[in-house]
Every structure is written in structure tokens, then in C-alpha cells.
Amino acid sequence: MASPGSGFWPFGAEEGSAAAESPGTARAWCQVAQKFTGGIGNKLCALLYGDAEKPADTGARAAPGAAEPRPSCPTCTCDKKPCGCRRADVNYAFLHSTDLLPACDGEAATLSFLQDVVDILLQYVVKSFDRSTKVIDFHYPNELLQEYNWELAEQPQTLEEILLNCRTTLKYAIKTGHPRYFNQLSTGLDMVGLAADWLTSAANTNMFTYEIAPVFVLLEYVTLRKMREMVGWPGGCGDGIFSPGGAISNMYAMLIARFKMFPEVKEKGMAAIPRLVAFTSEHSHFSVKKGAAALGIGTDSVILIRCDERGKMIPSDLERRILEAKQKGFVPFLVSATAGTTVYGAFDPLIAIADICKKYKIWMHVDGAWGGGLLMSRKHKWKLNGVERANSVTWNPHKMMGVPLQCSALLVREEGLMQSCNQMHASYLFQQDKHYDLSYDTGDKALQCGRHVDVFKLWLMWRAKGTTGFEAQIDKCLELAEYLYNKIKNREGYEMVFDGKPQHTNVCFWYIPPSLRGMEDNEERMSRLMKVAPVIKARMMEYGTTMVSYQPQGDKVNFFRMVISNPAATKSDIDFLIEEIERLGQDL
């Protein structure tokens, strides 16, 4: 949140204007922030108004959905656009979306409505970082369906109802930015990333040509080059694109690897080429098989390679399976190594895998969706040694780097290959007689036509933090993972899923309730232990105190998989999680 002197006021109102100085929406949300968050709210108010101008009234607004007093807002009684005039209250009960811009004289209603939306968003942001608030206000699906009318109607709702819909939606949204939300690999809420997301939604453009997204296309070019440079490709050479997620990035890699080996497949299809097989570890992400299914290669053509006890691919088994496939007449075309597996956080031995791929002339892909962020850290990037030898790399900044969803990059070492693989020469978009450098019309190398602007969030955050800022953020998360591991590895009631400290922020463990601690390690104990994590997780959600994931893996029954990627988390949040697991699981 910017200070008054920074020039940031809602919708361009300058400091000192009627919009900035009125006791309007910004101060109203600030008062609510004080009520709900105490110190946090006070600090935010101080940032908005300065220490001498904190709002005196700390009373809360009415509950969501209740009638609220409307603040004075600017209106249009002059020819200036936007103007600084004042107006009477806006009654949303008699307004509809058709009264907003581009409606004639819709400026005042639009500004007032959007300021109220911002008010709702800012309250949510403040609550997301308040540890006294719930991570989730959990209701079962049938309860939410019955409690509210979610159906779409023939007639339009009023703007009053629309604002109520906004409040209700956020009321039941999971606070993924909450310091005690550990459920997914992507957590946290970055303010600069949030601002970038708002900006790109307002711009509402497409990434397929330079002519309609000039700055965004250039930022994608600059950012992808920098990411390739960090992978280790000389001068950031190569190609790449931002895709809708790691699963699509991995599928792009399979698509390009197949085209590189058999370019005729683009026109003639799978019937024109031999039976292809791909290799990946038994701990790899399911998207490798999903990509094979989507591309017509088939899931049976994805050969799973054995892993060691820490979840790392065993190179000798990879080479053995490659030779077996070749003896059967199959054509190995891709090995997908994983840098940061989803469950164990394991890093495959990339150098050994690269040697094998070179020996048998197979495309090497590295799925670094989860672990790619460690390239930002001088302390931890050694875990990806050998990644520079890959032909392609998936890297999801929306995970370890905390960029708002979605932000996934597919990086390719060979320039021009992606374009040759995917281009269709649509003449209504990619005319060859344009007056600028056509290499910046990037849409023809993507599978999508419409493509969201995902790069701006990452670029703006990188500008705001610098590489060193991302490094500090990532190092902190790994330190918290080690802190958790050290706290529970010898603590009564805990068993680690594998020995040794975790390579990433994944900490995998069983909580053993008192009733199971003296039991012999047999089938009955395993059957009872399997039910422990799901019950504790359900209780966490019903209380709303925290969230952490669980799953089985191979012959191992349900265990907790703790992951940390939220820079707002602290050691006290780790302590809280341990205590909460014990509180909720003592009676099991």
C-alpha cells in the first residue's frame, strides 16, 4: 500500500483532491481494518493517511449484506474528466450494470461502484494476513447451495446485489495468502503481483501480436530471456512462452520433442510415425501421462522409472528401460526429469540423466514447475545442476516465487523450433507485410490463440524485489521447512516418511495418535493410521485454523505433506501447525 506521497490514490484521484480527502471508501475500509486486525489495520491507516491522520472512528461496518451508509463521492457537475466535484449518495438498489460506463453520464456511478469493489478487496487483503481470522469458513457444498441463490436469471440484478455477491464470494473463499495456509504448492499474496493482475485485467488485451500488446510482448521477451539465462543457456539463447500452467508447459515439451524427431507428424499424424515412448519417474507429475494422452501418444507409452527411497529417479533403471524399449522396436523420444517432485520435493540427478539422453539421442525435459524457483538462490541452485543440458524446462513462478496464479513458463533451448512446430500462418492475425519486426508476433508459436497476459505479474514483482529479493524469500521458506523437520524428527507422536532433511520445502510425516504409539507395526496399525490424516485435515477445515495436504504414496498410507512457499509464514506458524495437529488428533 503506497503512502500518500507516492501518488497512488484510487482511480487517479490526486492527493488533496476531494476523492482523496473525503471520508469515503478508503477510510471506511481502513476503519474496518482497524476493527478486525488491530495493529495491522493501524499500520495500513498510517500508510494511507500519515500518523497524524488516522481515522478516529474504529467502529465496524454492518455485516455483509446489511444496508450501509454511503459516503460522499465525487460527481460530474463540470466539464473536467475526471472531475473533483462532490455529489449526493449513490443508491445501488436502483442502479444496474447498464448505468455504468460506457453509459452516458455513467462516470460517477462507475467510480463509486469500483471504489466499493476496491473496498471489499482491501478488506479481504487485510484479513488474509490476520492470524486471528480463519483460513477458511468451511461449509459443505449442499449447505452453500441451499444458503444462497447462485442461479443465473433472465433479469439483471441491481448493483446492490452485485456488491453483495462480491462480498459473499470472498467470505467463503480460501485465504490462500494466510500465513497458515500450507495446502498447495502455490500460496501467499504478493501486493505488487496483485497490482499487476489488476492492471492486466484493466488492459484486457491478448498476447498473440505486438500490435495489440506491445509492452507486454516485449516484457515476455525480456523475462523469458532472463529465465533462460538463469537456466544456464549462454546469453539466454533459445525460445519459450508463458502457458496456462505446468501441465500445459510439460505437454508443449512433449509436442516439440516429437516434432523435432518426426516433423512429418504435424501434417500426417501419429499413423505416419513409429510407436513412441517417453520416460519419467514414478514420482513425477501426472501431467506427463496426461500430455501423452492428449497428443495421441497414449498413457501406456509413458514408462515409469523406479525411484530411490528419497523419490529420485534411478539412472541405471532409466537406461535399462530405454534399452528394453528399443529392443521391442519402440522409439524413445523424451525423458522428463523432475526438479522438485510434488510430494517428496525430490530432485532427479540431472547430470546422469543428461548423459543418458545424450548417449541415446533423446530429448531431455526438466519439469521444474515446483523446484525451478531455486535457480534464484545461490545457496540452493546446486540442486538443479545439469539443468543447463536440458532441451526444455518447465518453470512455474506462481509456485515457489509467489507470483499470483497463473504464471508458468516453458523454456526451449533451440530457437525457432517452437514456431515451426505450432505455426499455422493465420493471415488475419499474422500478416507478413506489417511495418514492424514480425518476430514479436509470438502467437503463432503457441497452441492457444487467445492468451492471457501472465508475464506482467512476474516482471513487475522481479522489478520490485530484484533477484536478491526472490532469493531471500525462497531461502526463508527452505529454512522454515528445515525448522519444521528439526522440530518433529525426534518428537513423540511423529514419524518421518523418509530419512534425512528435505531437499525442498516438502516435509512428509505421519502423526501417530497416542492410541497407536504402542501398537505393533502390522496391517491393523496401517489401516488405522491411514485414517488419521484425513480426519485431522477435516477438523482443520471445519475449525478454519489451518490447512495442510495429505496423501498416500506407493505402499505408504496417508501422511501429511507440508509445503511452504508463503513468505508471510514464520516459525510461530510452524509451531502453531504442530500444536494444532496434536490438538485435533489426540483422541484418534
Side-chain angles (χ1 to χ4, degrees):
M1 192 63 58
S3 65
S6 68
F8 177 79
W9 289 96
F11 309 100
E14 296 294 329
E15 182 183 8
S17 71
E21 292 186 345
S22 69
T25 349
R27 295 199 184 200
W29 86 259
C30 198
Q31 292 165 5
V32 175
Q34 287 181 303
K35 177 68 175 179
F36 283 118
T37 66
I40 297 175
N42 288 335
K43 290 176 184 176
L44 288 168
C45 290
L47 284 171
L48 278 174
Y49 302 105
D51 288 334
E53 277 197 43
K54 295 175 188 174
D57 181 12
T58 58
R61 295 173 77 174
E68 300 178 9
R70 296 289 311 143
S72 297
C73 300
T75 190
C76 187
T77 59
C78 62
D79 294 331
K80 297 177 182 177
K81 301 283 184 177
C83 68
C85 304
R86 301 178 64 82
R87 65 165 175 83
D89 296 346
V90 173
N91 191 339
Y92 293 132
F94 299 98
L95 292 179
H96 292 80
S97 63
T98 49
D99 296 303
L100 304 177
L101 289 174
C104 182
D105 297 326
E107 183 186 76
T110 298
L111 292 178
S112 181
F113 172 74
L114 290 180
Q115 284 172 337
D116 266 26
V117 172
V118 169
D119 185 18
I120 293 168
L121 292 172
L122 293 179
Q123 290 179 39
Y124 179 79
V125 167
V126 171
K127 283 186 178 182
S128 291
F129 293 97
D130 180 6
R131 288 172 173 80
S132 69
T133 63
K134 289 183 175 184
V135 173
I136 173 178
D137 185 356
F138 180 75
H139 287 65
Y140 288 96
N142 62 318
E143 293 175 339
L144 276 182
L145 284 171
Q146 292 170 10
E147 189 170 348
Y148 295 94
N149 177 18
W150 305 99
E151 298 302 322
L152 298 172
E154 292 293 323
Q155 299 303 314
Q157 289 187 322
T158 66
L159 292 181
E160 183 175 71
E161 293 167 318
I162 295 302
L163 287 172
L164 179 57
N165 293 156
C166 292
R167 293 188 187 96
T168 302
T169 301
L170 285 184
K171 173 178 169 58
Y172 297 107
I174 312 299
K175 296 185 183 71
T176 56
H178 198 289
R180 291 172 180 169
Y181 175 81
F182 305 108
N183 205 64
Q184 253 64 48
L185 303 182
S186 50
T187 64
L189 181 58
D190 186 272
M191 297 301 104
V192 173
L194 179 63
D197 227 355
W198 289 351
L199 188 147
T200 53
S201 291
N204 193 34
T205 194
N206 203 316
M207 287 294 288
F208 45 52
T209 61
Y210 176 82
E211 68 181 82
I212 66 163
V215 175
F216 295 137
V217 164
L218 292 179
L219 295 184
E220 184 172 66
Y221 169 80
V222 168
T223 305
L224 288 170
R225 184 182 61 194
K226 180 67 173 178
M227 294 174 79
R228 292 192 299 266
E229 187 180 297
M230 300 193 79
V231 165
W233 297 334
C237 66
D239 207 341
I241 203 160
F242 281 89
S243 83
I248 302 299
S249 290
N250 288 341
M251 187 175 73
Y252 266 122
M254 300 184 82
L255 180 71
I256 298 165
R258 182 178 66 177
F259 177 82
K260 174 69 174 177
M261 186 172 282
F262 295 104
E264 64 269 27
V265 73
K266 180 176 177 181
E267 288 83 21
K268 297 179 181 179
M270 289 293 291
I273 64 175
R275 168 79 180 272
L276 302 181
V277 288
F279 305 85
T280 191
S281 89
E282 58 187 351
H283 282 224
S284 67
H285 195 262
F286 68 87
S287 59
V288 178
K289 280 194 169 186
K290 184 170 281 192
L295 296 176
I297 296 166
T299 58
D300 287 349
S301 296
V302 177
I303 297 172
L304 300 183
I305 307 304
R306 288 192 299 113
C307 294
D308 63 19
E309 68 281 357
R310 296 294 303 270
K312 299 180 181 183
M313 184 191 292
I314 300 173
S316 60
D317 191 54
L318 171 63
E319 186 164 21
R320 179 180 69 84
R321 300 303 297 273
I322 289 172
L323 290 172
E324 281 182 2
K326 289 171 74 71
Q327 288 169 1
K328 293 177 182 178
F330 302 153
V331 178
F333 82 107
L334 175 135
V335 173
S336 180
T338 311
T341 58
T342 305
V343 179
Y344 283 8
F347 289 77
D348 287 341
L350 302 183
I351 294 175
I353 293 170
D355 289 341
I356 293 170
C357 289
K358 180 179 180 182
K359 180 178 180 180
Y360 295 101
K361 296 180 173 59
I362 303 173
W363 183 283
M364 178 183 173
H365 174 63
V366 174
D367 178 5
W370 175 220
L374 270 59
L375 290 170
M376 311 290 283
S377 168
R378 286 166 291 185
K379 182 177 180 181
H380 295 284
K381 67 181 179 181
W382 65 268
K383 297 169 186 176
L384 289 99
N385 283 350
V387 69
E388 71 282 356
R389 297 177 62 186
N391 298 96
S392 57
V393 177
T394 291
W395 179 352
N396 285 10
H398 69 229
K399 289 181 177 167
M400 200 64 219
M401 294 167 66
V403 177
L405 285 160
Q406 62 194 25
C407 188
S408 173
L410 185 276
L411 310 173
V412 183
R413 189 167 63 187
E414 182 177 337
E415 188 174 0
L417 187 59
M418 203 171 187
Q419 183 84 5
S420 299
C421 178
N422 295 321
Q423 67 182 350
M424 290 296 161
H425 305 288
S427 59
Y428 60 89
L429 275 179
F430 309 115
Q431 301 92 338
Q432 297 304 296
D433 52 359
K434 292 181 179 179
H435 62 291
Y436 57 81
D437 184 347
L438 297 179
S439 68
Y440 293 104
D441 281 1
T442 57
D444 215 11
K445 67 182 178 184
L447 287 177
Q448 302 162 260
C449 179
R451 191 160 65 89
H452 187 258
V453 177
D454 292 327
V455 66
F456 189 62
K457 296 171 288 190
L458 172 58
W459 180 85
L460 201 64
M461 286 176 62
W462 209 326
R463 295 276 286 193
K465 295 174 184 286
T467 304
T468 57
F470 275 123
E471 177 182 44
Q473 177 177 315
I474 289 165
D475 287 352
K476 176 191 172 184
C477 290
L478 280 128
E479 287 166 10
L480 288 177
E482 188 170 350
Y483 174 79
L484 170 61
Y485 167 74
N486 289 330
K487 287 219 43 162
I488 65 174
K489 64 180 179 179
N490 297 316
R491 188 182 180 98
E492 184 181 11
Y494 292 85
E495 289 182 14
M496 306 308 299
V497 172
F498 52 82
D499 294 329
K501 73 178 185 179
Q503 271 200 287
H504 206 351
T505 70
N506 308 51
V507 183
C508 300
F509 60 91
W510 288 283
Y511 172 69
I512 315 297
S515 66
L516 299 184
R517 290 175 195 171
M519 283 188 68
E520 184 181 345
D521 190 6
N522 55 26
E523 188 174 334
E524 181 188 353
R525 183 178 185 271
M526 287 297 101
S527 177
R528 291 177 60 181
L529 182 59
M530 180 174 64
K531 300 172 184 176
V532 171
V535 172
I536 293 176
K537 170 69 175 288
R539 291 176 177 180
M540 284 178 178
M541 293 179 68
E542 288 167 356
Y543 280 104
T545 50
T546 186
M547 285 182 70
V548 61
S549 183
Y550 72 86
Q551 66 284 303
Q553 178 74 47
D555 61 352
K556 295 177 172 62
V557 298
N558 286 325
F559 55 86
F560 286 112
R561 180 209 61 173
M562 173 69 173
V563 287
I564 306 166
S565 59
N566 187 348
T570 64
K571 290 181 179 178
S572 66
D573 298 310
I574 304 301
D575 296 338
F576 176 86
L577 174 74
I578 295 170
E579 293 165 4
E580 191 68 353
I581 288 174
E582 294 172 357
R583 180 180 76 87
L584 298 174
Q586 282 291 316
D587 64 334
L588 297 179

